[in-house]
Amino acid sequence: MYGMLSLKRIKSKLEHANLEKDNIYRSDNVETPFVLGLIKPKIYLPSYLSEIEKDYIVLHEQTHIKRFDHVSRFLSYLTLCIHWFNPLVWIAFWLSGKDMEMSCDESVINQLGHGVKKEYLQSLLNLASGRTNLGLILYL
């Protein structure tokens, strides 16, 4: 029930999302990028992203789609619903999500080259902190 209510709430927030191109949408009601849909997955982005951040994040989300992470995540969620009482399933669900994210980040850095590592990580930091236009202040 929780999953269905959450999906309904998300879809109502996305009613006014603007199609940019192909399967990429932008919305003022989106706080973090995500993929939604099993058969025809769509990428939803916050409207405040700069163009370079958008390019990095779209590549990251497209990597999720190419790897069928959205399908794996759905099947993992179904497993979690069935075995909700098992703490090991909860841990596996959480860890698998973290692994998917780190794997996609690594793939993006390998595709773009290690020269963009700082800029890409700064984009992720901006999204995680909810800040916009911090500039590239990350020094590694």
Side-chain angles (χ1 to χ4, degrees), residues 8-135:
K8 185 175 179 172
R9 196 174 313 130
I10 288 171
K11 284 190 173 188
S12 70
K13 282 185 172 185
L14 300 176
E15 285 178 357
H16 302 291
N18 298 319
L19 175 65
E20 271 202 9
K21 66 176 185 173
D22 300 330
N23 66 335
I24 301 168
Y25 293 81
R26 279 200 177 198
S27 174
D28 293 331
N29 297 328
V30 172
E31 295 175 17
T32 185
F34 62 91
V35 173
L36 184 66
L38 283 175
I39 297 170
K40 292 183 180 179
K42 296 175 183 155
I43 299 171
Y44 291 94
L45 304 171
S47 57
Y48 63 78
L49 290 177
S50 70
E51 279 303 310
I52 193 149
E53 286 177 325
K54 184 192 106 181
D55 293 341
Y56 294 149
I57 302 306
V58 165
L59 185 56
H60 175 97
E61 299 300 334
Q62 286 173 336
T63 303
H64 278 302
I65 293 171
K66 285 178 192 170
R67 294 178 174 186
F68 296 99
D69 286 349
H70 58 292
V71 176
S72 299
R73 197 70 177 157
F74 176 73
L75 294 174
S76 297
Y77 186 74
L78 286 179
T79 303
L80 184 65
C81 290
I82 294 167
H83 297 280
W84 59 268
F85 54 87
N86 188 339
L88 294 177
V89 175
W90 283 92
I91 292 168
F93 180 77
W94 183 74
L95 289 175
S96 68
K98 291 191 71 76
D99 283 346
M100 283 181 202
E101 291 302 322
M102 288 192 293
S103 178
C104 283
D105 292 338
E106 183 180 354
S107 175
V108 168
I109 290 170
N110 287 338
Q111 287 178 45
L112 297 175
H114 289 279
V116 300
K117 193 178 205 177
K118 290 179 186 177
E119 293 86 1
Y120 179 68
L121 292 175
Q122 183 64 50
S123 297
L124 294 179
L125 180 63
N126 290 350
L127 281 170
S129 65
R131 296 182 188 170
T132 58
N133 299 324
L134 281 179

